[in-house]
Amino acid sequence: MPAESKGPGGGTRRPPVQRAVPRPAAVRPVRDNPVRTLVTRARKAWDRPLTAYYLILGGSSLITVLGLVMVYSASQVTALQMSLPGSYFFRKQLLAAVIGAGLLLAASRMPVKLHRALAYPILAGAVFLMALVQVPGIGMSVNGNQNWISLGGSFQIQPSEIGKLALVLWGADLIARKQEKRLLTQWKHMLVPLVPVAFMLLGLIMLGGDMGTAIILTAILFGLLWLAGAPTRLFVGVLSVAALIGLVLIKTSPNRLDRFACVGSTDVTKCWQAVHGIYALASGGFFGSGLGASVEKWGQLPEAHTDFIFAVTGEELGLAGTLSVLALFAALGYAGIRVAGRTEDPFVRYAAGGVTTWIVAQAVINIGAVLGLLPIAGVPLPLFSYGGSALLPTMFAIGLMIAFARDEPAARAALAMRQPRFGRKRATGSAAGRKTGRRPERKPARTSGRKPGREPGGAAGRAADRGSGQGSGQGSGQGSRRWNTMRRRASAARPSGER
């Protein structure tokens, strides 16, 4: 025991007790919130240069492939009722998809200048074909609409689908040229000749009675005016005129009045197609009855493989399948808005906005009609429904979007880094040594046949070695590297309108 010590008063006191120093508490690592981490990664992925490119390419491919599967499933009963093979409509749609893939690839590789040059020929061809529809003996009537041209056999073409692409390209080129000349501040240059030409196309379409396609062309016109910065009063004026014309056309047609009366109706006798579309969606449940197991397509649901293919998708694939289709179209719409918002080329902005308006508006009209929220307009679901006339121009428009997404400066630089680089020379000497991290091996000097002043230890020999090293190593390594750097800078310095 420790000895006791005496205090000043003679008493004894014990030594102070040494207390143990408390150990610091262990610092626990801060765990990241998994939801916050996932959101951060998603934001970084959305902000990458090639996000729009992959969304357009992947989304359109998935919609087309899923559409082929659903066309095969939904059209078998219709083909058998017409005494045709069960895969008849599928083979025609597959052929159109293959041709459309070629058009998509060609459009995605075309420069922007060539797209602008094709605007006027496509518009002239569309107007000629749409006028040819009204010629007796050439135009055909399908479901009461005179808007088809027979190409012989079972092949037909609908020129109004080409009119959508023509209005997008020509309208984008027109507004871009006027913006370059700073003429869009005047209302007459904003409207003329864009609105008269659009109304001419609408008149040719309405001569055949196809009001659904006319609504989509009107949506494209309003989209172009909105992107061009039309003032609110001008926008409201054009919208009022279009609404007045549409109201007159609806009032004068009992068929169109009946379609508006079927919005939200459950009367099977008057709204057979709309109600059975709701039945198909309701019987699908969450995961559907299985691919090919639809009941409504057996004669209960008209146009099961064209206008109401979304209803068959909901019955066979359920809510999961329909939400997947909606997500793919939402991704296409987002990618189109991103391309239109990030470009500096006016033509690319207007064309990307026009194509996005076209696809999104047509998808909303089709799906809204199937859900009973909108009147049945008779328009197909883009890239999904059966019909080569609608599929080919749409895939060409998707190729336009891919070309525009690739033409962004950041996306072009990212694609250039991923492509193999040709023309690079092999680096030798010191440059090769720097790449591998090893010193270059020197060849032993020859003892015979030396010239005066070239001894290994002499100044002239060292100067000659330095000269040969610079000429062989740096000249081939740094020269090729500098050449590749200048090539990358030249490609990155190109304006967005050139490729």
Side-chain angles (χ1 to χ4, degrees), residues 186-374:
Q186 305 176 17
W187 67 270
K188 58 180 180 180
H189 287 286
M190 180 76 70
L191 298 180
V192 180
L194 177 62
V195 175
V197 172
F199 275 73
M200 178 188 65
L201 294 176
L202 290 172
L204 291 174
I205 292 174
M206 290 308 300
L207 285 177
D210 189 3
M211 191 170 183
T213 305
I215 294 175
I216 298 173
L217 253 72
T218 306
I220 295 174
L221 174 62
F222 289 154
L224 292 175
L225 290 176
W226 181 273
L227 292 172
T232 306
R233 55 186 178 182
L234 187 63
F235 197 85
V236 172
V238 177
L239 182 61
S240 301
V241 173
L244 181 61
I245 296 175
L247 183 61
V248 172
L249 293 174
I250 293 172
K251 287 289 186 180
T252 56
S253 174
N255 185 19
R256 299 189 185 108
L257 284 175
D258 293 339
R259 293 183 181 183
F260 273 90
C262 289
V263 176
S265 176
T266 57
D267 189 359
V268 183
T269 58
K270 296 182 179 179
C271 306
W272 177 274
Q273 188 175 16
V275 174
H276 278 277
I278 298 296
Y279 288 168
L281 291 173
S283 60
F286 286 98
F287 299 103
S289 58
L291 192 63
S294 172
V295 177
E296 293 293 332
K297 67 182 180 182
W298 289 86
Q300 303 295 327
L301 184 64
E303 306 295 337
H305 61 296
T306 55
D307 300 344
F308 272 71
I309 193 172
F310 188 77
V312 180
T313 303
E315 185 179 3
E316 295 185 352
L317 303 182
L319 182 63
T322 55
L323 290 181
S324 301
V325 174
L326 291 176
L328 290 175
F329 277 108
L332 276 181
Y334 168 79
I337 294 174
R338 174 169 171 163
V339 170
R342 293 195 174 189
T343 184
E344 297 179 358
D345 191 339
F347 172 78
V348 174
R349 181 183 304 111
Y350 298 133
V355 172
T356 305
T357 305
W358 165 15
I359 294 177
V360 173
Q362 186 166 336
V364 168
I365 292 173
N366 179 276
I367 296 175
V370 174
L371 295 176
L373 303 176
L374 295 175

Side-chain angles (χ1 to χ4, degrees), residues 357-403:
T357 305
W358 165 15
I359 294 177
V360 173
Q362 186 166 336
V364 168
I365 292 173
N366 179 276
I367 296 175
V370 174
L371 295 176
L373 303 176
L374 295 175
I376 300 174
V379 295
L381 191 59
L383 301 172
F384 202 84
S385 297
Y386 170 78
S389 297
L391 183 63
L392 296 182
T394 308
M395 295 193 74
F396 187 88
I398 294 295
L400 283 177
M401 299 286 290
I402 294 175

